[in-house]
């Protein structure tokens, strides 16, 4: 558990560094939380609580308060093991990437 928490803190630090890199000021960022659907099928509230907790640790709410970050930062949760090129989740992600790119230009 401590290893996972350390990795989350490292991811947070990396995200914040990358978002502030001059070379990446016009880049879109997608944060994907990989979830296992079966872990939350019986208790969807647990999924929302888990997402919120991870967002807080990553600093997503404070980043989304900044207009410059809000335009180019998107987050979503999905069971990555079930994503295929034809899946609605993948298509939704591609649409969001396109929307973020449009906002950046």
């Amino acid at each position: 558990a401590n290893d996972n928490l350390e990795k989350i803190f490292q991811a947070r630090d990396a995200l914040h560094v990358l978002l502030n890199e001059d070379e990446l000021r016009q880049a879109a960022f997608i944060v994907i939380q990989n979830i296992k659907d079966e872990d939350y099928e019986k208790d969807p509230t647990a999924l929302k609580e888990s997402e919120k907790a991870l967002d807080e640790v990553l600093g997503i709410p404070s980043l989304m308060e900044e207009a410059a970050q809000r335009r180019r930062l998107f987050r979503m949760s999905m069971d990555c093991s079930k994503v295929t090129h034809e899946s609605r989740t993948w298509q939704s992600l591609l649409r969001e990437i396109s929307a973020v790119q449009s906002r950046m230009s």
Side-chain angles (χ1 to χ4, degrees):
N2 284 340
D3 284 346
N4 288 339
L5 192 55
E6 182 61 30
K7 288 177 184 178
I8 292 170
F9 287 132
Q10 288 173 354
R12 179 199 58 205
D13 294 344
L15 176 63
H16 289 255
V17 166
L18 291 171
L19 283 167
N20 290 299
E21 284 290 326
D22 286 337
E23 296 84 15
L24 299 174
R25 293 262 183 227
Q26 297 298 315
F29 285 81
I30 311 286
V31 176
I32 299 173
Q33 181 179 358
N34 185 20
I35 60 161
K36 300 229 182 283
D37 287 340
E38 58 270 8
D39 291 346
Y40 298 103
E41 286 175 347
K42 293 179 182 173
D43 188 2
T45 304
L47 173 59
K48 292 297 179 196
E49 291 171 2
S50 173
E51 289 174 334
K52 185 177 179 182
L54 184 58
D55 283 354
E56 289 291 334
V57 173
L58 290 174
I60 301 289
S62 63
L63 289 170
M64 296 304 273
E65 291 175 5
E66 301 173 33
Q69 307 303 7
R70 189 172 42 248
R71 290 180 340 148
R72 66 192 189 123
L73 180 62
F74 174 72
R75 61 140 336 268
M76 70 183 301
S77 298
M78 70 173 94
D79 186 340
C80 295
S81 69
K82 295 181 179 179
V83 175
T84 66
H85 289 288
E86 295 82 28
S87 70
R88 280 186 269 158
T89 303
W90 180 251
Q91 296 303 316
S92 173
L93 180 59
L94 292 178
R95 282 190 299 278
E96 188 58 36
I97 290 169
S98 179
V100 168
Q101 287 174 328
S102 294
R103 288 193 299 264
M104 296 306 297
S105 45

